[in-house]
Short mmCIF file of all heavy atoms in Angstrom, two decimals:
data_model
loop_
_atom_site.label_atom_id
_atom_site.label_comp_id
_atom_site.label_asym_id
_atom_site.label_seq_id
_atom_site.Cartn_x
_atom_site.Cartn_y
_atom_site.Cartn_z
N HIS A 286 -10.94 1.61 5.36
CA HIS A 286 -9.83 2.41 5.93
C HIS A 286 -9.78 3.88 5.29
O HIS A 286 -9.03 4.69 5.85
CB HIS A 286 -8.55 1.82 5.72
CG HIS A 286 -8.41 0.60 6.55
ND1 HIS A 286 -8.77 -0.67 6.08
CD2 HIS A 286 -7.80 0.47 7.74
CE1 HIS A 286 -8.53 -1.48 7.12
NE2 HIS A 286 -7.87 -0.90 8.07
N ILE A 287 -10.58 4.21 4.43
CA ILE A 287 -10.58 5.65 3.87
C ILE A 287 -11.10 6.55 4.99
O ILE A 287 -12.14 6.23 5.46
CB ILE A 287 -11.41 5.65 2.54
CG1 ILE A 287 -10.83 4.86 1.49
CG2 ILE A 287 -11.51 7.12 2.05
CD1 ILE A 287 -11.42 4.80 0.18
N PRO A 288 -10.42 7.58 5.19
CA PRO A 288 -10.81 8.46 6.32
C PRO A 288 -12.30 8.87 6.42
O PRO A 288 -12.83 8.82 7.43
CB PRO A 288 -9.83 9.75 6.21
CG PRO A 288 -8.76 9.22 5.51
CD PRO A 288 -9.20 8.08 4.53
N ILE A 289 -12.90 9.04 5.28
CA ILE A 289 -14.31 9.60 5.26
C ILE A 289 -15.23 8.51 5.79
O ILE A 289 -16.33 8.85 6.33
CB ILE A 289 -14.75 10.23 3.92
CG1 ILE A 289 -16.04 10.93 4.01
CG2 ILE A 289 -14.92 9.04 2.90
CD1 ILE A 289 -16.32 11.95 2.93
N THR A 290 -14.90 7.32 5.65
CA THR A 290 -15.69 6.13 6.07
C THR A 290 -15.68 5.94 7.60
O THR A 290 -16.57 5.27 8.12
CB THR A 290 -15.51 4.91 5.29
OG1 THR A 290 -14.25 4.41 5.61
CG2 THR A 290 -15.76 5.02 3.65
N THR A 291 -14.56 6.33 8.14
CA THR A 291 -14.33 5.99 9.57
C THR A 291 -15.50 6.58 10.48
O THR A 291 -15.73 5.96 11.51
CB THR A 291 -12.97 6.41 10.09
OG1 THR A 291 -12.76 7.90 9.88
CG2 THR A 291 -11.87 5.66 9.31
N ILE A 292 -15.93 7.74 10.14
CA ILE A 292 -17.15 8.26 10.90
C ILE A 292 -18.32 7.45 10.93
O ILE A 292 -19.21 7.54 11.81
CB ILE A 292 -17.38 9.75 10.46
CG1 ILE A 292 -17.86 9.85 9.13
CG2 ILE A 292 -16.20 10.62 10.85
CD1 ILE A 292 -18.40 11.14 8.71
N TYR A 293 -18.51 6.58 9.78
CA TYR A 293 -19.72 5.72 9.77
C TYR A 293 -19.48 4.41 10.40
O TYR A 293 -20.41 3.61 10.39
CB TYR A 293 -19.99 5.70 8.28
CG TYR A 293 -20.36 6.88 7.62
CD1 TYR A 293 -19.47 7.57 6.68
CD2 TYR A 293 -21.57 7.57 7.87
CE1 TYR A 293 -19.80 8.71 6.08
CE2 TYR A 293 -21.88 8.76 7.31
CZ TYR A 293 -21.00 9.37 6.40
OH TYR A 293 -21.34 10.59 5.86
N HIS A 294 -18.35 4.06 10.78
CA HIS A 294 -18.06 2.79 11.27
C HIS A 294 -19.06 2.36 12.47
O HIS A 294 -19.36 1.14 12.87
CB HIS A 294 -16.70 2.61 11.77
CG HIS A 294 -15.71 2.41 10.75
ND1 HIS A 294 -14.41 1.87 10.94
CD2 HIS A 294 -15.83 2.66 9.35
CE1 HIS A 294 -13.79 1.92 9.64
NE2 HIS A 294 -14.56 2.30 8.81
N GLN A 295 -19.33 3.43 13.27
CA GLN A 295 -20.11 3.36 14.36
C GLN A 295 -21.62 3.00 14.18
O GLN A 295 -22.32 2.49 15.07
CB GLN A 295 -19.98 4.51 15.36
CG GLN A 295 -20.59 5.79 14.68
CD GLN A 295 -20.37 7.11 15.51
OE1 GLN A 295 -20.16 6.93 16.61
NE2 GLN A 295 -20.23 8.15 14.73
N PHE A 296 -22.02 3.20 12.98
CA PHE A 296 -23.47 3.05 12.71
C PHE A 296 -23.71 1.61 12.27
O PHE A 296 -22.95 1.03 11.54
CB PHE A 296 -23.90 4.06 11.54
CG PHE A 296 -23.70 5.39 11.97
CD1 PHE A 296 -22.81 6.31 11.39
CD2 PHE A 296 -24.60 6.02 13.05
CE1 PHE A 296 -22.78 7.64 11.75
CE2 PHE A 296 -24.47 7.31 13.27
CZ PHE A 296 -23.58 8.19 12.73
N PRO A 297 -24.95 1.16 12.70
CA PRO A 297 -25.41 -0.15 12.27
C PRO A 297 -25.50 -0.27 10.78
O PRO A 297 -25.96 0.68 10.19
CB PRO A 297 -26.65 -0.44 13.08
CG PRO A 297 -26.78 0.68 14.01
CD PRO A 297 -25.85 1.75 13.67
N GLY A 298 -25.12 -1.33 10.23
CA GLY A 298 -25.30 -1.49 8.72
C GLY A 298 -24.13 -0.87 7.88
O GLY A 298 -24.31 -0.96 6.72
N PHE A 299 -23.16 -0.45 8.54
CA PHE A 299 -22.00 0.19 7.87
C PHE A 299 -21.45 -0.84 6.86
O PHE A 299 -21.35 -0.51 5.63
CB PHE A 299 -20.90 0.53 8.75
CG PHE A 299 -19.54 0.87 8.08
CD1 PHE A 299 -19.48 2.09 7.37
CD2 PHE A 299 -18.52 0.05 8.18
CE1 PHE A 299 -18.21 2.42 6.66
CE2 PHE A 299 -17.35 0.36 7.44
CZ PHE A 299 -17.20 1.62 6.68
N GLY A 300 -21.23 -2.11 7.32
CA GLY A 300 -20.59 -3.10 6.38
C GLY A 300 -21.66 -3.28 5.26
O GLY A 300 -21.19 -3.37 4.08
N TYR A 301 -22.87 -3.40 5.51
CA TYR A 301 -23.89 -3.74 4.38
C TYR A 301 -24.04 -2.63 3.48
O TYR A 301 -23.90 -2.70 2.26
CB TYR A 301 -25.18 -4.03 4.95
CG TYR A 301 -26.22 -4.29 3.92
CD1 TYR A 301 -26.24 -5.60 3.19
CD2 TYR A 301 -27.16 -3.48 3.69
CE1 TYR A 301 -27.29 -5.75 2.18
CE2 TYR A 301 -28.13 -3.55 2.62
CZ TYR A 301 -28.24 -4.75 1.95
OH TYR A 301 -29.13 -4.89 0.95
N PHE A 302 -24.31 -1.36 3.95
CA PHE A 302 -24.68 -0.27 3.18
C PHE A 302 -23.38 0.41 2.38
O PHE A 302 -23.62 0.75 1.22
CB PHE A 302 -25.33 0.83 3.96
CG PHE A 302 -26.67 0.49 4.32
CD1 PHE A 302 -27.06 0.24 5.63
CD2 PHE A 302 -27.72 0.30 3.36
CE1 PHE A 302 -28.31 -0.15 5.94
CE2 PHE A 302 -29.09 -0.03 3.76
CZ PHE A 302 -29.37 -0.26 5.07
N ILE A 303 -22.29 0.27 3.05
CA ILE A 303 -21.18 1.00 2.39
C ILE A 303 -20.24 -0.12 1.82
O ILE A 303 -20.07 -0.09 0.52
CB ILE A 303 -20.33 1.70 3.52
CG1 ILE A 303 -21.13 2.77 4.09
CG2 ILE A 303 -19.06 2.30 2.80
CD1 ILE A 303 -21.59 3.88 3.34
N LEU A 304 -19.82 -1.07 2.48
CA LEU A 304 -18.83 -2.02 2.00
C LEU A 304 -19.48 -2.97 1.08
O LEU A 304 -18.86 -3.37 0.00
CB LEU A 304 -18.08 -2.75 3.10
CG LEU A 304 -17.34 -1.74 4.20
CD1 LEU A 304 -16.77 -2.67 5.19
CD2 LEU A 304 -16.38 -0.92 3.43
N ASP A 305 -20.69 -3.57 1.42
CA ASP A 305 -21.30 -4.58 0.54
C ASP A 305 -21.78 -4.02 -0.74
O ASP A 305 -21.98 -4.75 -1.76
CB ASP A 305 -22.28 -5.38 1.29
CG ASP A 305 -21.64 -6.19 2.51
OD1 ASP A 305 -20.53 -6.46 2.46
OD2 ASP A 305 -22.54 -6.61 3.25
N SER A 306 -22.14 -2.69 -0.64
CA SER A 306 -22.56 -2.10 -1.96
C SER A 306 -21.60 -2.19 -3.03
O SER A 306 -21.98 -2.22 -4.16
CB SER A 306 -23.06 -0.65 -1.57
OG SER A 306 -21.97 0.11 -1.32
N LEU A 307 -20.39 -2.12 -2.72
CA LEU A 307 -19.36 -2.20 -3.78
C LEU A 307 -19.35 -3.60 -4.42
O LEU A 307 -19.38 -3.75 -5.73
CB LEU A 307 -17.89 -2.08 -3.12
CG LEU A 307 -17.66 -0.65 -2.66
CD1 LEU A 307 -16.45 -0.71 -1.73
CD2 LEU A 307 -17.47 0.32 -3.70
N ALA A 308 -19.54 -4.73 -3.63
CA ALA A 308 -19.66 -5.98 -4.16
C ALA A 308 -20.94 -6.16 -5.01
O ALA A 308 -20.94 -6.80 -5.97
CB ALA A 308 -19.69 -7.10 -3.15
N LEU A 309 -21.98 -5.49 -4.57
CA LEU A 309 -23.32 -5.61 -5.37
C LEU A 309 -23.13 -4.91 -6.76
O LEU A 309 -23.75 -5.26 -7.67
CB LEU A 309 -24.40 -4.93 -4.61
CG LEU A 309 -24.85 -5.71 -3.36
CD1 LEU A 309 -25.86 -4.77 -2.43
CD2 LEU A 309 -25.45 -7.04 -3.77
N GLY A 310 -22.25 -3.92 -6.79
CA GLY A 310 -21.93 -3.34 -8.19
C GLY A 310 -20.64 -3.89 -8.87
O GLY A 310 -20.29 -3.39 -9.78
N ASP A 311 -20.46 -5.11 -8.44
CA ASP A 311 -19.24 -5.95 -9.02
C ASP A 311 -17.93 -5.17 -9.07
O ASP A 311 -17.13 -5.21 -9.98
CB ASP A 311 -19.60 -6.31 -10.53
CG ASP A 311 -20.53 -7.39 -10.54
OD1 ASP A 311 -20.68 -8.34 -9.62
OD2 ASP A 311 -21.42 -7.57 -11.47
N MET A 312 -17.70 -4.48 -7.95
CA MET A 312 -16.49 -3.73 -7.71
C MET A 312 -15.75 -4.47 -6.53
O MET A 312 -15.99 -4.38 -5.37
CB MET A 312 -16.77 -2.38 -7.30
CG MET A 312 -17.61 -1.58 -8.41
SD MET A 312 -16.59 -1.08 -9.84
CE MET A 312 -16.07 0.50 -9.38
N PHE A 313 -14.70 -5.20 -6.99
CA PHE A 313 -13.85 -5.98 -5.99
C PHE A 313 -12.43 -5.56 -5.94
O PHE A 313 -11.71 -5.45 -4.96
CB PHE A 313 -14.02 -7.53 -6.19
CG PHE A 313 -15.38 -7.95 -6.26
CD1 PHE A 313 -16.11 -8.32 -7.47
CD2 PHE A 313 -15.99 -8.28 -5.01
CE1 PHE A 313 -17.37 -8.73 -7.31
CE2 PHE A 313 -17.20 -8.85 -4.98
CZ PHE A 313 -17.91 -8.97 -6.04
N PHE A 314 -11.91 -5.32 -7.17
CA PHE A 314 -10.46 -5.00 -7.17
C PHE A 314 -9.56 -5.68 -6.21
O PHE A 314 -8.92 -5.06 -5.27
CB PHE A 314 -10.29 -3.37 -7.10
CG PHE A 314 -10.93 -2.56 -8.20
CD1 PHE A 314 -12.09 -2.02 -7.92
CD2 PHE A 314 -10.46 -2.61 -9.46
CE1 PHE A 314 -12.86 -1.29 -8.95
CE2 PHE A 314 -11.01 -1.84 -10.51
CZ PHE A 314 -12.13 -1.27 -10.13
N CYS A 315 -9.44 -6.85 -6.41
CA CYS A 315 -8.72 -7.81 -5.47
C CYS A 315 -7.29 -7.92 -5.70
O CYS A 315 -6.73 -8.87 -6.30
CB CYS A 315 -9.32 -9.28 -5.45
SG CYS A 315 -11.10 -9.17 -4.76
N ASN A 316 -6.55 -6.70 -5.42
CA ASN A 316 -5.05 -6.89 -5.57
C ASN A 316 -4.53 -8.10 -4.86
O ASN A 316 -3.52 -8.70 -5.36
CB ASN A 316 -4.41 -5.69 -5.05
CG ASN A 316 -4.63 -4.44 -5.90
OD1 ASN A 316 -4.59 -4.59 -7.13
ND2 ASN A 316 -4.66 -3.32 -5.39
N ASP A 317 -5.01 -8.41 -3.66
CA ASP A 317 -4.40 -9.49 -2.82
C ASP A 317 -4.67 -10.89 -3.63
O ASP A 317 -3.71 -11.67 -3.41
CB ASP A 317 -5.02 -9.60 -1.42
CG ASP A 317 -6.63 -9.47 -1.38
OD1 ASP A 317 -7.24 -9.48 -2.44
OD2 ASP A 317 -7.11 -9.47 -0.33
N GLU A 318 -5.65 -11.07 -4.35
CA GLU A 318 -5.91 -12.28 -5.07
C GLU A 318 -5.08 -12.25 -6.30
O GLU A 318 -4.44 -13.29 -6.81
CB GLU A 318 -7.43 -12.60 -5.36
CG GLU A 318 -8.20 -12.75 -4.09
CD GLU A 318 -7.66 -14.09 -3.39
OE1 GLU A 318 -7.32 -15.07 -3.98
OE2 GLU A 318 -7.53 -13.94 -2.13
N ASN A 319 -4.91 -11.13 -7.04
CA ASN A 319 -4.20 -11.02 -8.28
C ASN A 319 -2.72 -11.23 -8.05
O ASN A 319 -2.17 -11.93 -8.86
CB ASN A 319 -4.46 -9.71 -8.87
CG ASN A 319 -5.90 -9.52 -9.40
OD1 ASN A 319 -6.65 -10.53 -9.54
ND2 ASN A 319 -6.45 -8.29 -9.45
N VAL A 320 -2.22 -10.60 -7.00
CA VAL A 320 -0.70 -10.78 -6.84
C VAL A 320 -0.37 -12.28 -6.55
O VAL A 320 0.86 -12.57 -6.85
CB VAL A 320 -0.17 -9.83 -5.85
CG1 VAL A 320 -0.31 -8.34 -6.22
CG2 VAL A 320 -0.63 -10.07 -4.37
N LYS A 321 -1.25 -13.02 -6.13
CA LYS A 321 -0.97 -14.48 -5.79
C LYS A 321 -0.74 -15.25 -7.10
O LYS A 321 -0.02 -16.28 -7.12
CB LYS A 321 -2.13 -15.19 -5.13
CG LYS A 321 -2.21 -14.62 -3.68
CD LYS A 321 -3.38 -15.36 -3.01
CE LYS A 321 -3.69 -14.87 -1.55
NZ LYS A 321 -4.86 -15.43 -1.05
N VAL A 322 -1.19 -14.71 -8.30
CA VAL A 322 -1.21 -15.37 -9.52
C VAL A 322 0.07 -14.75 -10.42
O VAL A 322 0.60 -15.50 -11.24
CB VAL A 322 -2.50 -15.16 -10.25
CG1 VAL A 322 -2.42 -15.83 -11.68
CG2 VAL A 322 -3.67 -15.72 -9.45
N LEU A 323 0.38 -13.59 -10.17
CA LEU A 323 1.34 -12.95 -11.11
C LEU A 323 2.74 -13.54 -10.95
O LEU A 323 3.07 -13.99 -9.79
CB LEU A 323 1.40 -11.52 -10.84
CG LEU A 323 0.10 -10.59 -11.03
CD1 LEU A 323 0.35 -9.15 -10.71
CD2 LEU A 323 -0.39 -10.70 -12.48
N ALA A 324 3.47 -13.46 -12.10
CA ALA A 324 4.85 -13.97 -11.90
C ALA A 324 5.81 -12.83 -12.42
O ALA A 324 7.01 -12.90 -12.36
CB ALA A 324 5.03 -15.17 -12.84
N CYS A 325 5.29 -11.65 -12.99
CA CYS A 325 6.17 -10.63 -13.42
C CYS A 325 6.77 -9.88 -12.26
O CYS A 325 6.18 -9.92 -11.11
CB CYS A 325 5.35 -9.66 -14.28
SG CYS A 325 4.06 -8.88 -13.42
#
């Protein structure tokens, strides 16, 4: 959803080259999973 990536959505491999590369670098930052566990 970051504006700079929206121009690349139309290109084949966007998910793999841009989005999956974060996972390959062990970058997940899963706020959605973390807040399911928090109680504070």
Side-chain angles (χ1 to χ4, degrees):
H286 286 88
I287 293 174
I289 197 161
T290 65
T291 57
I292 60 173
Y293 297 106
H294 286 196
Q295 63 187 334
F296 296 112
F299 168 74
Y301 175 76
F302 288 111
I303 304 294
L304 303 180
D305 292 346
S306 65
L307 295 165
L309 292 172
D311 286 329
M312 300 288 260
F313 300 98
F314 295 106
C315 296
N316 281 330
D317 50 0
E318 294 302 315
N319 292 338
V320 299
K321 289 178 184 176
V322 176
L323 298 180
C325 63

